[in-house]
Short mmCIF file of all heavy atoms in Angstrom, two decimals:
data_model
loop_
_atom_site.label_atom_id
_atom_site.label_comp_id
_atom_site.label_asym_id
_atom_site.label_seq_id
_atom_site.Cartn_x
_atom_site.Cartn_y
_atom_site.Cartn_z
N ALA A 73 30.27 -58.08 -10.10
CA ALA A 73 30.50 -59.15 -11.08
C ALA A 73 30.56 -58.62 -12.52
O ALA A 73 31.13 -59.27 -13.39
CB ALA A 73 29.41 -60.21 -10.97
N HIS A 74 29.99 -57.44 -12.76
CA HIS A 74 29.98 -56.85 -14.12
C HIS A 74 29.49 -57.83 -15.19
O HIS A 74 30.08 -57.93 -16.27
CB HIS A 74 31.38 -56.34 -14.50
CG HIS A 74 31.88 -55.28 -13.57
ND1 HIS A 74 31.33 -54.02 -13.53
CD2 HIS A 74 32.83 -55.30 -12.62
CE1 HIS A 74 31.94 -53.32 -12.60
NE2 HIS A 74 32.85 -54.06 -12.03
N LEU A 75 28.44 -58.56 -14.85
CA LEU A 75 27.87 -59.50 -15.83
C LEU A 75 27.16 -58.72 -16.92
O LEU A 75 26.86 -57.54 -16.75
CB LEU A 75 26.88 -60.44 -15.11
CG LEU A 75 27.52 -61.32 -14.03
CD1 LEU A 75 26.44 -61.96 -13.16
CD2 LEU A 75 28.42 -62.38 -14.65
N ILE A 76 26.85 -59.42 -18.03
CA ILE A 76 26.13 -58.74 -19.12
C ILE A 76 24.65 -58.69 -18.72
O ILE A 76 24.06 -59.72 -18.39
CB ILE A 76 26.27 -59.49 -20.46
CG1 ILE A 76 27.73 -59.85 -20.73
CG2 ILE A 76 25.71 -58.65 -21.60
CD1 ILE A 76 27.91 -60.69 -21.98
N ALA A 77 24.09 -57.49 -18.74
CA ALA A 77 22.71 -57.32 -18.27
C ALA A 77 21.75 -58.17 -19.10
O ALA A 77 21.88 -58.27 -20.33
CB ALA A 77 22.32 -55.86 -18.36
N GLY A 78 20.81 -58.78 -18.42
CA GLY A 78 19.71 -59.48 -19.10
C GLY A 78 20.06 -60.85 -19.67
O GLY A 78 19.24 -61.45 -20.36
N LYS A 79 21.28 -61.35 -19.42
CA LYS A 79 21.63 -62.67 -19.97
C LYS A 79 21.53 -63.72 -18.86
O LYS A 79 22.33 -63.71 -17.92
CB LYS A 79 23.06 -62.67 -20.54
CG LYS A 79 23.32 -61.58 -21.56
CD LYS A 79 22.48 -61.73 -22.82
CE LYS A 79 22.73 -60.58 -23.77
NZ LYS A 79 21.73 -60.48 -24.83
N SER A 80 20.51 -64.57 -18.99
CA SER A 80 20.33 -65.61 -17.99
C SER A 80 20.13 -66.94 -18.70
O SER A 80 19.96 -66.98 -19.92
CB SER A 80 19.10 -65.28 -17.14
OG SER A 80 17.97 -65.30 -17.97
N LEU A 81 20.12 -68.02 -17.93
CA LEU A 81 19.90 -69.32 -18.55
C LEU A 81 18.47 -69.43 -19.07
O LEU A 81 18.22 -70.09 -20.06
CB LEU A 81 20.18 -70.45 -17.54
CG LEU A 81 21.65 -70.74 -17.26
CD1 LEU A 81 21.78 -71.93 -16.33
CD2 LEU A 81 22.42 -71.00 -18.56
N SER A 82 17.54 -68.73 -18.40
CA SER A 82 16.15 -68.85 -18.87
C SER A 82 15.96 -68.12 -20.21
O SER A 82 15.05 -68.44 -20.96
CB SER A 82 15.17 -68.34 -17.81
OG SER A 82 15.51 -67.04 -17.46
N SER A 83 16.85 -67.15 -20.51
CA SER A 83 16.69 -66.49 -21.82
C SER A 83 17.63 -67.12 -22.86
O SER A 83 17.79 -66.60 -23.96
CB SER A 83 16.95 -64.99 -21.69
OG SER A 83 18.29 -64.75 -21.32
N PHE A 84 18.28 -68.22 -22.49
CA PHE A 84 19.18 -68.89 -23.44
C PHE A 84 18.44 -70.02 -24.13
O PHE A 84 17.88 -70.90 -23.47
CB PHE A 84 20.42 -69.42 -22.72
CG PHE A 84 21.48 -69.90 -23.66
CD1 PHE A 84 22.32 -69.01 -24.31
CD2 PHE A 84 21.63 -71.26 -23.93
CE1 PHE A 84 23.29 -69.45 -25.21
CE2 PHE A 84 22.60 -71.71 -24.82
CZ PHE A 84 23.43 -70.80 -25.45
N ASP A 85 18.44 -69.99 -25.44
CA ASP A 85 17.71 -70.99 -26.23
C ASP A 85 18.65 -72.17 -26.52
O ASP A 85 19.46 -72.12 -27.44
CB ASP A 85 17.24 -70.30 -27.52
CG ASP A 85 16.57 -71.26 -28.48
OD1 ASP A 85 16.32 -72.42 -28.08
OD2 ASP A 85 16.29 -70.86 -29.62
N PHE A 86 18.52 -73.22 -25.72
CA PHE A 86 19.42 -74.37 -25.88
C PHE A 86 19.19 -75.10 -27.20
O PHE A 86 20.11 -75.73 -27.72
CB PHE A 86 19.26 -75.34 -24.70
CG PHE A 86 19.99 -74.91 -23.47
CD1 PHE A 86 19.33 -74.23 -22.46
CD2 PHE A 86 21.36 -75.14 -23.33
CE1 PHE A 86 20.01 -73.81 -21.33
CE2 PHE A 86 22.05 -74.72 -22.20
CZ PHE A 86 21.37 -74.05 -21.20
N SER A 87 17.98 -74.98 -27.73
CA SER A 87 17.71 -75.72 -28.97
C SER A 87 18.54 -75.15 -30.13
O SER A 87 18.75 -75.81 -31.15
CB SER A 87 16.22 -75.65 -29.32
OG SER A 87 15.87 -74.35 -29.71
N ALA A 88 19.05 -73.92 -29.95
CA ALA A 88 19.87 -73.32 -31.00
C ALA A 88 21.30 -73.86 -30.97
O ALA A 88 22.08 -73.60 -31.89
CB ALA A 88 19.88 -71.80 -30.83
N VAL A 89 21.67 -74.56 -29.90
CA VAL A 89 23.04 -75.08 -29.79
C VAL A 89 22.99 -76.57 -29.44
O VAL A 89 23.23 -76.97 -28.29
CB VAL A 89 23.84 -74.34 -28.68
CG1 VAL A 89 25.32 -74.43 -28.95
CG2 VAL A 89 23.41 -72.91 -28.54
N PRO A 90 22.72 -77.42 -30.43
CA PRO A 90 22.55 -78.84 -30.14
C PRO A 90 23.80 -79.51 -29.58
O PRO A 90 23.71 -80.57 -28.96
CB PRO A 90 22.17 -79.45 -31.50
CG PRO A 90 22.05 -78.32 -32.46
CD PRO A 90 22.53 -77.07 -31.84
N THR A 91 24.98 -78.89 -29.79
CA THR A 91 26.22 -79.52 -29.29
C THR A 91 26.38 -79.37 -27.78
O THR A 91 27.25 -79.98 -27.19
CB THR A 91 27.46 -78.90 -29.97
OG1 THR A 91 27.38 -77.48 -29.79
CG2 THR A 91 27.53 -79.23 -31.44
N ILE A 92 25.55 -78.54 -27.18
CA ILE A 92 25.68 -78.29 -25.73
C ILE A 92 24.58 -79.04 -24.99
O ILE A 92 23.40 -78.94 -25.36
CB ILE A 92 25.54 -76.78 -25.45
CG1 ILE A 92 26.61 -75.99 -26.17
CG2 ILE A 92 25.51 -76.48 -23.96
CD1 ILE A 92 27.86 -75.77 -25.41
N SER A 93 24.96 -79.73 -23.93
CA SER A 93 23.96 -80.44 -23.14
C SER A 93 23.38 -79.48 -22.08
O SER A 93 24.11 -79.02 -21.20
CB SER A 93 24.61 -81.65 -22.47
OG SER A 93 24.03 -81.89 -21.22
N PRO A 94 22.07 -79.21 -22.17
CA PRO A 94 21.47 -78.28 -21.19
C PRO A 94 21.67 -78.76 -19.75
O PRO A 94 21.94 -77.96 -18.87
CB PRO A 94 19.99 -78.29 -21.56
CG PRO A 94 19.91 -78.79 -22.95
CD PRO A 94 21.09 -79.68 -23.15
N SER A 95 21.59 -80.08 -19.55
CA SER A 95 21.71 -80.57 -18.16
C SER A 95 23.13 -80.36 -17.65
O SER A 95 23.35 -80.08 -16.47
CB SER A 95 21.28 -82.03 -18.05
OG SER A 95 22.04 -82.78 -18.94
N ARG A 96 24.11 -80.44 -18.54
CA ARG A 96 25.50 -80.23 -18.13
C ARG A 96 25.69 -78.76 -17.70
O ARG A 96 26.32 -78.46 -16.69
CB ARG A 96 26.42 -80.56 -19.28
CG ARG A 96 27.85 -80.67 -18.85
CD ARG A 96 28.63 -81.49 -19.81
NE ARG A 96 29.78 -82.07 -19.13
CZ ARG A 96 30.91 -82.35 -19.77
NH1 ARG A 96 31.00 -82.17 -21.06
NH2 ARG A 96 31.92 -82.84 -19.10
N VAL A 97 25.13 -77.87 -18.51
CA VAL A 97 25.25 -76.44 -18.20
C VAL A 97 24.50 -76.12 -16.89
O VAL A 97 25.01 -75.42 -16.02
CB VAL A 97 24.69 -75.58 -19.36
CG1 VAL A 97 24.62 -74.11 -18.97
CG2 VAL A 97 25.57 -75.75 -20.60
N ARG A 98 23.30 -76.69 -16.76
CA ARG A 98 22.53 -76.43 -15.54
C ARG A 98 23.26 -76.97 -14.31
O ARG A 98 23.19 -76.38 -13.24
CB ARG A 98 21.12 -77.03 -15.65
CG ARG A 98 20.31 -76.28 -16.69
CD ARG A 98 18.80 -76.37 -16.48
NE ARG A 98 18.17 -75.59 -17.53
CZ ARG A 98 17.69 -76.10 -18.67
NH1 ARG A 98 17.73 -77.40 -18.87
NH2 ARG A 98 17.17 -75.31 -19.59
N ALA A 99 23.96 -78.09 -14.49
CA ALA A 99 24.71 -78.65 -13.35
C ALA A 99 25.83 -77.67 -12.94
O ALA A 99 26.05 -77.44 -11.75
CB ALA A 99 25.30 -80.00 -13.73
N LEU A 100 26.48 -77.08 -13.94
CA LEU A 100 27.56 -76.11 -13.63
C LEU A 100 26.99 -74.89 -12.91
O LEU A 100 27.62 -74.30 -12.04
CB LEU A 100 28.24 -75.64 -14.92
CG LEU A 100 29.13 -76.63 -15.65
CD1 LEU A 100 29.54 -76.07 -17.00
CD2 LEU A 100 30.36 -76.95 -14.80
N ALA A 101 25.76 -74.51 -13.33
CA ALA A 101 25.16 -73.29 -12.79
C ALA A 101 24.55 -73.52 -11.40
O ALA A 101 24.45 -72.59 -10.61
CB ALA A 101 24.09 -72.78 -13.75
N SER A 102 24.16 -74.76 -11.14
CA SER A 102 23.42 -74.96 -9.89
C SER A 102 24.25 -75.65 -8.81
O SER A 102 23.90 -75.63 -7.63
CB SER A 102 22.16 -75.80 -10.16
OG SER A 102 22.55 -77.05 -10.67
N ASN A 103 25.37 -76.24 -9.22
CA ASN A 103 26.18 -76.95 -8.23
C ASN A 103 27.58 -76.33 -8.24
O ASN A 103 28.29 -76.40 -9.24
CB ASN A 103 26.23 -78.43 -8.63
CG ASN A 103 27.05 -79.24 -7.66
OD1 ASN A 103 27.81 -78.70 -6.86
ND2 ASN A 103 26.91 -80.55 -7.74
N ASP A 104 27.95 -75.74 -7.11
CA ASP A 104 29.22 -75.00 -7.11
C ASP A 104 30.42 -75.86 -6.70
O ASP A 104 31.48 -75.35 -6.42
CB ASP A 104 29.10 -73.75 -6.21
CG ASP A 104 28.75 -74.11 -4.78
OD1 ASP A 104 28.95 -75.28 -4.40
OD2 ASP A 104 28.28 -73.23 -4.05
N SER A 105 30.25 -77.20 -6.70
CA SER A 105 31.37 -78.03 -6.22
C SER A 105 32.60 -77.88 -7.12
O SER A 105 33.73 -77.98 -6.64
CB SER A 105 30.94 -79.50 -6.14
OG SER A 105 30.56 -79.94 -7.40
N TRP A 106 32.39 -77.60 -8.41
CA TRP A 106 33.56 -77.43 -9.30
C TRP A 106 34.38 -76.21 -8.91
O TRP A 106 35.59 -76.17 -9.09
CB TRP A 106 33.13 -77.36 -10.77
CG TRP A 106 32.20 -76.25 -11.16
CD1 TRP A 106 30.88 -76.16 -10.88
CD2 TRP A 106 32.53 -75.08 -11.92
NE1 TRP A 106 30.35 -75.00 -11.41
CE2 TRP A 106 31.34 -74.32 -12.07
CE3 TRP A 106 33.69 -74.58 -12.50
CZ2 TRP A 106 31.28 -73.10 -12.75
CZ3 TRP A 106 33.64 -73.38 -13.19
CH2 TRP A 106 32.45 -72.65 -13.31
N LEU A 107 33.72 -75.20 -8.32
CA LEU A 107 34.45 -74.01 -7.89
C LEU A 107 35.34 -74.33 -6.69
O LEU A 107 36.44 -73.80 -6.55
CB LEU A 107 33.48 -72.90 -7.50
CG LEU A 107 32.59 -72.34 -8.61
CD1 LEU A 107 31.68 -71.26 -8.06
CD2 LEU A 107 33.43 -71.78 -9.75
N LYS A 108 34.83 -75.22 -5.83
CA LYS A 108 35.62 -75.56 -4.63
C LYS A 108 36.92 -76.23 -5.02
O LYS A 108 37.95 -76.05 -4.36
CB LYS A 108 34.79 -76.47 -3.72
CG LYS A 108 33.65 -75.67 -3.09
CD LYS A 108 32.87 -76.47 -2.06
CE LYS A 108 31.68 -75.65 -1.60
NZ LYS A 108 30.41 -76.32 -1.86
N GLY A 109 36.92 -77.01 -6.10
CA GLY A 109 38.15 -77.69 -6.52
C GLY A 109 38.98 -76.85 -7.48
O GLY A 109 39.98 -77.32 -8.00
N GLY A 110 38.56 -75.62 -7.75
CA GLY A 110 39.29 -74.76 -8.68
C GLY A 110 39.25 -75.29 -10.11
O GLY A 110 40.18 -75.09 -10.90
N HIS A 111 38.18 -76.00 -10.46
CA HIS A 111 38.07 -76.52 -11.83
C HIS A 111 37.68 -75.40 -12.80
O HIS A 111 37.15 -74.37 -12.38
CB HIS A 111 37.04 -77.65 -11.88
CG HIS A 111 37.44 -78.85 -11.08
ND1 HIS A 111 36.77 -80.04 -11.11
CD2 HIS A 111 38.47 -79.03 -10.20
CE1 HIS A 111 37.37 -80.90 -10.30
NE2 HIS A 111 38.40 -80.31 -9.72
N ASN A 112 37.93 -75.66 -14.09
CA ASN A 112 37.69 -74.61 -15.09
C ASN A 112 36.62 -75.01 -16.11
O ASN A 112 36.27 -76.19 -16.23
CB ASN A 112 38.98 -74.32 -15.85
CG ASN A 112 40.10 -73.92 -14.91
OD1 ASN A 112 39.90 -73.11 -14.02
ND2 ASN A 112 41.27 -74.51 -15.10
N VAL A 113 36.14 -74.01 -16.83
CA VAL A 113 35.23 -74.26 -17.96
C VAL A 113 35.78 -73.47 -19.14
O VAL A 113 36.19 -72.32 -18.99
CB VAL A 113 33.79 -73.77 -17.63
CG1 VAL A 113 32.89 -73.88 -18.87
CG2 VAL A 113 33.19 -74.58 -16.48
N ILE A 114 35.80 -74.10 -20.30
CA ILE A 114 36.19 -73.37 -21.52
C ILE A 114 35.06 -73.52 -22.53
O ILE A 114 34.57 -74.63 -22.77
CB ILE A 114 37.52 -73.90 -22.11
CG1 ILE A 114 38.63 -73.80 -21.05
CG2 ILE A 114 37.90 -73.10 -23.35
CD1 ILE A 114 39.98 -74.33 -21.50
N ILE A 115 34.62 -72.39 -23.05
CA ILE A 115 33.55 -72.41 -24.05
C ILE A 115 34.14 -71.99 -25.39
O ILE A 115 34.65 -70.87 -25.53
CB ILE A 115 32.39 -71.46 -23.67
CG1 ILE A 115 31.88 -71.78 -22.24
CG2 ILE A 115 31.25 -71.57 -24.68
CD1 ILE A 115 30.74 -70.86 -21.78
N PHE A 116 34.08 -72.89 -26.36
CA PHE A 116 34.57 -72.58 -27.71
C PHE A 116 33.40 -72.32 -28.64
O PHE A 116 32.33 -72.94 -28.50
CB PHE A 116 35.32 -73.78 -28.29
CG PHE A 116 36.68 -74.00 -27.70
CD1 PHE A 116 36.95 -75.12 -26.91
CD2 PHE A 116 37.71 -73.11 -27.94
CE1 PHE A 116 38.21 -75.33 -26.38
CE2 PHE A 116 38.98 -73.32 -27.41
CZ PHE A 116 39.22 -74.43 -26.62
N GLY A 117 33.60 -71.43 -29.59
CA GLY A 117 32.56 -71.22 -30.59
C GLY A 117 32.88 -70.00 -31.42
O GLY A 117 33.62 -69.11 -30.98
N PRO A 118 32.34 -69.92 -32.63
CA PRO A 118 32.60 -68.76 -33.49
C PRO A 118 31.89 -67.51 -32.95
O PRO A 118 31.01 -67.63 -32.08
CB PRO A 118 32.00 -69.19 -34.84
CG PRO A 118 30.99 -70.21 -34.51
CD PRO A 118 31.45 -70.90 -33.27
N PRO A 119 32.23 -66.34 -33.46
CA PRO A 119 31.57 -65.11 -32.99
C PRO A 119 30.05 -65.21 -33.17
O PRO A 119 29.58 -65.72 -34.18
CB PRO A 119 32.15 -64.02 -33.90
CG PRO A 119 33.45 -64.57 -34.36
CD PRO A 119 33.29 -66.06 -34.45
N GLY A 120 29.34 -64.78 -32.15
CA GLY A 120 27.87 -64.76 -32.24
C GLY A 120 27.21 -66.06 -31.81
O GLY A 120 25.99 -66.18 -31.79
N ALA A 121 28.03 -67.08 -31.45
CA ALA A 121 27.45 -68.39 -31.11
C ALA A 121 26.70 -68.38 -29.78
O ALA A 121 25.87 -69.25 -29.52
CB ALA A 121 28.56 -69.43 -31.07
N GLY A 122 26.99 -67.40 -28.95
CA GLY A 122 26.31 -67.32 -27.65
C GLY A 122 27.23 -67.60 -26.47
O GLY A 122 26.78 -67.83 -25.35
N LYS A 123 28.55 -67.53 -26.70
CA LYS A 123 29.52 -67.83 -25.64
C LYS A 123 29.41 -66.87 -24.48
O LYS A 123 29.33 -67.27 -23.32
CB LYS A 123 30.96 -67.78 -26.19
CG LYS A 123 31.23 -68.69 -27.35
CD LYS A 123 32.68 -68.58 -27.83
CE LYS A 123 33.06 -67.20 -28.35
NZ LYS A 123 32.35 -66.79 -29.56
N SER A 124 29.39 -65.56 -24.78
CA SER A 124 29.36 -64.56 -23.70
C SER A 124 28.04 -64.65 -22.94
O SER A 124 28.02 -64.52 -21.71
CB SER A 124 29.53 -63.15 -24.27
OG SER A 124 30.72 -63.07 -25.00
N HIS A 125 26.96 -64.88 -23.67
CA HIS A 125 25.65 -65.02 -23.03
C HIS A 125 25.69 -66.18 -22.03
O HIS A 125 25.32 -66.02 -20.85
CB HIS A 125 24.59 -65.25 -24.11
CG HIS A 125 23.18 -65.33 -23.59
ND1 HIS A 125 22.10 -64.85 -24.28
CD2 HIS A 125 22.67 -65.87 -22.44
CE1 HIS A 125 21.00 -65.07 -23.58
NE2 HIS A 125 21.32 -65.69 -22.46
N LEU A 126 26.18 -67.33 -22.51
CA LEU A 126 26.19 -68.51 -21.65
C LEU A 126 27.10 -68.31 -20.44
O LEU A 126 26.74 -68.64 -19.31
CB LEU A 126 26.64 -69.73 -22.47
CG LEU A 126 26.32 -71.09 -21.88
CD1 LEU A 126 24.82 -71.25 -21.68
CD2 LEU A 126 26.83 -72.21 -22.78
N ALA A 127 28.27 -67.71 -20.69
CA ALA A 127 29.23 -67.48 -19.59
C ALA A 127 28.62 -66.56 -18.54
O ALA A 127 28.69 -66.82 -17.33
CB ALA A 127 30.51 -66.87 -20.16
N SER A 128 27.98 -65.49 -19.00
CA SER A 128 27.40 -64.53 -18.07
C SER A 128 26.23 -65.16 -17.30
O SER A 128 26.05 -64.92 -16.10
CB SER A 128 26.93 -63.30 -18.85
OG SER A 128 26.61 -62.26 -17.98
#
Side-chain angles (χ1 to χ4, degrees):
H74 299 291
L75 297 167
I76 312 175
K79 306 296 177 194
S80 63
L81 284 184
S82 55
S83 65
F84 190 79
D85 175 8
F86 280 97
S87 70
V89 204
T91 53
I92 300 269
S93 146
S95 56
R96 193 158 204 209
V97 171
R98 291 205 179 97
L100 289 171
S102 61
N103 180 344
D104 59 19
S105 60
W106 60 285
L107 296 179
K108 290 186 186 120
H111 296 189
N112 303 314
V113 173
I114 303 178
I115 306 179
F116 286 112
K123 303 180 297 295
S124 303
H125 183 145
L126 198 59
S128 192

